[in-house]
Amino acid sequence: MTVRVERDKATGVAVVTLDREHRHNAIDLATAAELSAVWREFRFADEVRAVVLTGAGPAAFCTGIDRGVDVPQPASPYSADDPLIAIGPKAGDLWKPVVAAVNGMACGGAFYLLGEAEFLIASETATFFDPHTTYGMVSAYEAVYMAQRMPFGEAARMSLMGTAERLSAHRAHEIGLVSELAAPEGLLPAALRAAETLAGFPTEAVQGTVRALWSAKQASLQQALAQAPALIALGNLAPQRQAELFGARRPGTEFRLR
């Protein structure tokens, strides 16, 4: 199992942990399937009234798709298989509140998850970035999710600057992407405090409010996401060329933290 789930029946809170610390919690196909199954199962779990989502270890919350994963694609330019499309709680039709506890790096495909959480609490050491453009890939789903959570200029800068910049936790807090900062050792307790508060309220009212909040942006979100497959098909370099660019990266290369 690559997704660890812990439930506290006394508080009504479940903690979902991406448990691939050795791979910076990157998502392979098994992890994607497990996440999707967890959200669907929580719909029927009355003892779960709120969720904390985090990553194992201090280095990373999630670094997106595991680059070792082979995802066969149909030959048709009108079809694309995205292994991350159903990893978020809203994609699983879960309307119980999800608090993301962001530890370390959050980048690329991590935004599928962060984009569908109610709010983010981050460690003071967390960083956010989107590597797609650096390696010849279109940031489509990720950019759309972040454009809904950040000022447009900030989302555009992060999506376009690739690995040249990382958004610090403090800057993320300043622009409203993150609602609360915590010391690394205080991150999970802070997220649990928030989730336990939500779980202590009448769950029908909480879920209705979650649904109402998402209805405010769901139409525009779905319209934007509908454009993503075509933009990816048009703009992505061939997989071999992407791999060459990724292989040519220099570990430890300096990036600007802002």
Side-chain angles (χ1 to χ4, degrees), residues 14 23 27 29 32 39 54 72 74-75 77 82 88 96 98 109 113 115 142 148 216 231:
R23 296 290 290 175
I27 298 172
L29 297 182
W39 305 132
T54 193
D82 185 340
K96 299 177 182 182
V98 177
L113 293 169
E142 298 84 357
Q148 294 244 332
L231 297 173

Side-chain angles (χ1 to χ4, degrees), residues 9 21 25 55 68 71 108 138 142 144 168 180 192 209 237:
K9 291 186 178 181
E21 186 177 358
N25 299 319
V71 184
V138 174
E142 298 84 357
V144 167
S168 69
E180 181 181 350
L192 285 171
T209 302
L237 293 180

Side-chain angles (χ1 to χ4, degrees), residues 105-176:
M105 292 183 290
C107 64
F111 298 140
Y112 284 71
L113 293 169
L114 298 183
E116 293 196 358
E118 269 53 70
F119 54 88
L120 282 54
I121 298 175
S123 164
E124 293 170 337
T125 59
T127 57
F128 304 82
F129 65 102
D130 189 348
H132 279 75
T133 56
T134 300
Y135 303 124
M137 296 179 286
V138 174
S139 178
Y141 292 98
E142 298 84 357
V144 167
Y145 277 122
M146 289 301 97
Q148 294 244 332
R149 302 205 76 121
M150 300 164 64
F152 182 84
E154 294 286 348
R157 180 166 182 157
M158 185 173 70
S159 300
L160 291 167
M161 291 294 287
T163 59
E165 284 191 347
R166 292 190 185 181
L167 192 70
S168 69
H170 287 277
R171 181 59 180 159
H173 186 246
E174 287 176 352
I175 64 176

Side-chain angles (χ1 to χ4, degrees), residues 76-98:
S76 169
Y78 304 104
S79 301
D81 285 346
D82 185 340
L84 303 186
I85 197 70
I87 65 171
K90 304 304 175 291
D93 198 34
L94 180 72
W95 300 98
K96 299 177 182 182
V98 177

